[in-house]
Amino acid sequence: MKLTKKSHACVRLEKNGQTLVLDPGGFSEEDAALGADAILVTHEHPDHFDEGRLRAAMEADPAAEIWTLGSVAEQIAAAFPGRVHTVGHGDTFTAAGFDVQVHGELHAVIHPDIPRITNVGYLVDGGKVFHPGDALTVPDRPVETLMLPVMAPWNKIAEVIDYVREVKPQRTYDIHDALLTDLARPIYDRQIGGLGGAEHLRLTPGDSAEV
């Protein structure tokens, strides 16, 4: 499976000539979702869900489909009848040839005064890749590659390190990093890599790796 990092929380997965895109939001490239056979969206926040990017991908390929939670589906489903699928924790489905399991229900706490919204994570091909969205969800099965939300208004590095320790993946790749400056990256690399207990990796947007 080929994994390509896009800006912020967006990831492209390619296998057997098909492409699965996760979270092509407003902090990602304008064309982040183009060419996708299937798109997964974890939640409604604009850095993960951008209606314009989704519409462009769906209009460019009449066979493309979206899987997401209800709060996102209700905003775009009417424009693409039968092509937007609502999922929740515990659901399983196949999208663009990838087997996907849904894990998690709520966004991480930003502040006690801010109501929590729904958030789901996607476990791809039996644990090859896990994208948690904006939560520190721990799947009930082993994870090879964890897409790790390293910097957000709702987390601190101690929580990120403990999350890696709890999931116990073989490796992590940084996501949710658009707010992280280049000056801070070596600090995150050193602390997460040294304390997390898994190989800690980072891809520049546009770069790819085999997982």
Side-chain angles (χ1 to χ4, degrees), residues 64-160:
E65 298 179 80
I66 296 171
W67 281 261
T68 187
L69 37 66
S71 59
V72 172
E74 67 186 14
Q75 298 184 54
I76 198 167
F80 304 100
R83 297 169 62 193
V84 180
H85 312 281
T86 302
V87 297
H89 176 69
D91 288 343
T92 61
F93 57 92
T94 300
F98 294 84
D99 294 325
V100 183
Q101 296 178 333
V102 183
H103 292 265
E105 298 180 85
L106 290 173
H107 192 287
V109 174
I110 302 171
H111 186 276
D113 290 352
I114 299 176
R116 295 175 75 181
I117 62 169
T118 308
N119 176 96
V120 295
Y122 297 105
L123 189 74
V124 180
D125 280 358
K128 282 284 187 182
V129 173
F130 181 59
H131 190 308
D134 276 7
L136 302 179
T137 301
V138 179
D140 59 1
R141 60 188 57 211
V143 174
E144 292 185 22
T145 299
L146 174 64
M147 307 312 300
L148 182 65
V150 292
M151 199 280 183
W154 49 267
N155 72 17
K156 59 183 180 180
I157 198 167
E159 296 169 335
V160 175

Side-chain angles (χ1 to χ4, degrees), residues 26-67:
F27 290 178
S28 301
E29 295 79 0
E30 287 285 345
D31 63 352
L34 289 179
D37 298 288
I39 302 168
L40 311 182
V41 180
T42 62
H43 65 289
E44 66 197 78
H45 282 161
D47 56 325
H48 297 256
F49 162 55
D50 181 87
E51 185 174 344
R53 285 163 172 75
L54 295 187
R55 283 179 174 272
M58 297 288 275
E59 290 167 358
D61 181 358
E65 298 179 80
I66 296 171
W67 281 261

